[in-house]
DNA sequence: TTAGGGTTAG
């Protein structure tokens, strides 16, 4: 038996497998080893042996549970994981004494659901799991939790987790923490991480990965640092993935130098290590160093992938390295990486921002990939910056055709008209907004004060100190007006104010967060803010003035990059 | 014989 197992492990090609299969058949041993052979083929690294497994399976008169398991497991790994579910369905519909789903079958089928994001199917298997009596299987429950989280039902995941009660172990916690972090509920992820600690669980590398990722998203510097200290004390920094997450965390919390220190110390840098660091430099506007690193990775024998190119393009974008970025983009295909919609989006942004609108549009027209909504929105943004009405109208029509119904698109078009004082057209756009049910992505900002993350929405009055915050903003306004500040009303629709007070310029979430920082963070410490959208022009102008008048360093991370305001100017040099 | 949790992205 052991001999056959070791032979199987050493089969790396179809001819090896066929030889072994023939040998087992002639010696009459095949029925005893069939499932193992199927499993080996079905889960072969490149999946090149899966068709052979499927062929053998089809010619098996009455396949056993283990035979099914091997096939379902293999199919779940393919680009079309729903085929695993078809197979599972076939099996569970006609159960016999030798062929009935066991806990492993369910586990593999659930994996397929996770990869296919098939929530209803997962729920169905969940009820079968209970019916089959596997409700107490901790491994299977963790798989279930994980599927719910990955397929987008985080409440379902939490429910499974709570029901597991005493059977939870570190993997169950990890699945939930990672699920929450990846599902854009980073505060909850951090809460669970802390709860795990208070319940005496010892975090391992997977736990800290999820927690670090949550800190990155929240800009939770203090919590992130605590986790990094823990990582070092436990020797978890030998794990490259943990280091990558820490690099990302420090960079996204504003400490790019600290991120670089960790990067330098990672002995076996992976592709992701390089990509994360290049993206970190890009976010901080250090295009030169990002490009140097991009060149350097090649010399270290690491071949740039599509994410590396995206990071490098992004770096050129934020640093205004237009020629360099365009050259890089044009060199991609020749180096074996074909640009995807994100690369096109990035280069359109690069050209558009620099004012090369026609060239940007030409790229969109001729690109072999279907442009998505984000790409058109990027172009519309450039039209607004350079006041190109004709192109803005064309692009807006495109967006409407694509079913985009976002408030931002209408506002941009309206601003193009407003800049040219075409008030009739402004009114027309506003009318169109009223007639449609336009969707607004709510803007919010985070700021961490003494280890506590505070969240503000636009026009928010739910914070315990909101009255003080608003008073502070009034004071700010008074002081900056003395410096000649005039609100950039260009960024809002003119008299939408009546019905839409909360969106008024002066109470944008980043302003609230900065004002809160002014009243609650000691005088010489910098104020750090994280915003989910791009910072608006008015906020940018106001925060520059605050940094001068109040002699404060203010660091704002917006959706795309960092803005470091100091003595009246910003690290982005007003190019963003 | 084979199970569960994992970092980067306009």
């Amino acid at each position: 038996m052991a001999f056959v197992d070791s032979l199987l492990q050493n089969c790396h090609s179809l001819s090896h497998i066929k030889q072994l299969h023939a040998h087992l058949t002639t010696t009459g041993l095949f029925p005893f080893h069939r499932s193992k052979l199927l499993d080996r083929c079905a889960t072969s690294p490149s999946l090149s042996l899966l068709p052979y497994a499927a062929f053998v399976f089809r010619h098996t008169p009455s396949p056993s549970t283990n035979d099914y398991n091997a096939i379902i497991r293999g199919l779940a790994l393919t680009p079309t994981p729903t085929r695993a579910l078809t197979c599972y369905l076939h099996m569970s519909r006609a159960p016999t004494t030798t062929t009935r789903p066991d806990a492993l079958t369910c586990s593999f089928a659930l994996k397929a659901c996770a990869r296919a994001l098939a929530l209803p199917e997962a729920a169905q298997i969940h009820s079968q799991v209970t019916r089959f009596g596997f409700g107490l299987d901790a491994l299977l429950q963790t798989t279930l939790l994980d599927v719910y989280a990955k397929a987008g039902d985080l409440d379902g995941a939490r429910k499974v987790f709570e029901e597991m009660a005493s059977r939870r172990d570190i993997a169950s916690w990890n699945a939930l923490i990672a699920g929450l972090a990846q599902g854009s509920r980073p505060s909850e992820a951090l809460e669970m991480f802390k709860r795990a600690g208070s319940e005496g669980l010892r975090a391992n590398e997977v736990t800290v990965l999820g927690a670090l990722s949550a800190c990155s998203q929240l800009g939770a510097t203090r919590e992130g640092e605590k986790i990094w200290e823990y990582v070092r004390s436990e020797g978890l920094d030998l794990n490259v993935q943990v280091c990558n997450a820490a690099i990302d965390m420090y960079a996204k919390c504003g400490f790019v130098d600290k991120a670089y220190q960790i990067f330098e110390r990672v002995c076996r840098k992976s592709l992701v290590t390089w990509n994360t660091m290049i993206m970190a430099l890009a976010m901080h506007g250090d295009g030169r160093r990002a490009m140097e690193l991009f060149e350097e990775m090649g010399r270290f024998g690491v071949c740039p992938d599509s994410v590396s190119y995206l990071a490098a393009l992004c770096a050129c974008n934020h640093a205004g390295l237009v020629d360099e970025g365009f050259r890089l983009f044009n060199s991609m295909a020749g180096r074996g990486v074909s640009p995807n919609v994100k690369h096109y989006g990035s280069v359109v942004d690069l050209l558009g921002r620099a004012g090369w609108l026609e060239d940007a549009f030409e790229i969109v027209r001729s690109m072999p990939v279907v442009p998505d909504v984000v790409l058109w929105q990027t172009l519309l943004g450039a039209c607004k910056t350079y006041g190109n009405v004709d192109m803005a109208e064309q692009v807006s029509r495109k967006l409407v055709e694509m079913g985009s119904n976002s408030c931002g698109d209408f506002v941009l078009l309206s601003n193009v008209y407003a800049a040219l004082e075409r008030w009739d057209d402004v009114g027309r756009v506003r009318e169109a907004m009223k007639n449609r049910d336009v969707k607004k992505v709510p803007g919010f900002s985070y700021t961490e004060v003494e280890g506590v993350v505070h969240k503000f929405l636009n026009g928010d009055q739910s914070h315990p100190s909101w009255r003080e915050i608003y008073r502070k903003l009034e004071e700010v306004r008074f002081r900056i007006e003395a410096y000649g500040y005039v609100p950039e009303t260009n960024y809002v629709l003119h008299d939408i104010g009546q019905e839409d007070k909360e969106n008024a310029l002066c109470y944008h979430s980043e302003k609230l967060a900065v004002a809160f920082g002014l009243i609650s963070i000691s005088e010489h410490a910098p104020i750090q803010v994280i915003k989910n959208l791009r910072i608006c022009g008015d906020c940018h102008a106001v925060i520059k003035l605050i940094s001068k008048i109040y002699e404060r360093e203010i660091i704002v991370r917006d959706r795309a990059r960092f803005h470091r305001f100091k003595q009246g100017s910003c690290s982005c040099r007003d190019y963003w």
Side-chain angles (χ1 to χ4, degrees), chain A residues 128-138 140-141 144 163-164 167:
Chain A
Q128 282 169 336
V129 162
T130 315
R131 208 154 12 101
F132 296 155
F134 306 142
L136 297 177
D137 186 325
L140 197 48
Q141 294 298 312
L144 258 170
E163 283 168 0
M164 284 177 76
R167 282 167 292 108

Side-chain angles (χ1 to χ4, degrees), chain A residues 190 193-194 215 220-228 448 451:
Chain A
L190 264 192
F193 175 72
K194 289 180 194 162
C215 293
T221 308
R222 195 188 279 195
E223 197 56 40
E225 289 219 281
K226 261 166 63 185
I227 297 169
W228 180 241
E448 191 191 63

Side-chain angles (χ1 to χ4, degrees), chain A residues 400-416:
Chain A
V400 171
E401 270 172 37
M402 293 181 79
S404 165
N405 213 9
S406 110
C407 175
D409 301 350
F410 288 94
V411 173
L412 278 176
L413 181 61
S414 161
N415 284 341
V416 177

Side-chain angles (χ1 to χ4, degrees), chain A residues 499-547:
Chain A
E499 74 255 36
D500 212 2
K501 275 218 169 73
E502 87 276 5
N503 228 11
L505 270 186
C506 34
Y507 303 120
H508 271 178
S509 63
E510 57 268 53
K511 288 199 186 89
L512 298 176
V514 169
F516 180 61
L518 283 174
I519 59 178
S520 53
I521 298 174
S522 63
E523 257 180 43
H524 299 292
I527 297 170
Q528 300 221 45
V529 172
I530 287 178
K531 168 151 204 204
N532 67 329
L533 308 172
R534 296 305 309 264
I535 188 171
C536 88
D538 186 69
C539 287
H540 199 267
V542 168
I543 298 173
K544 273 202 293 188
L545 286 168
I546 295 178
S547 74

Side-chain angles (χ1 to χ4, degrees), chain A residues 286-295 309 312-317 319-332 335 347 350-351 356:
Chain A
D286 199 341
R288 287 270 161 242
R289 269 172 84 201
M291 287 306 283
E292 278 166 24
L293 222 57
F294 180 80
E295 297 300 329
Y309 276 96
L313 276 172
C314 199
C316 293
N317 219 333
L321 304 172
V322 185
D323 294 325
E324 204 160 346
F326 195 50
R327 260 202 310 276
L328 184 75
F329 174 76
N330 287 322
S331 73
M332 287 181 63
R335 294 196 229 168
V347 79
L350 180 82
L351 299 177
W356 302 8

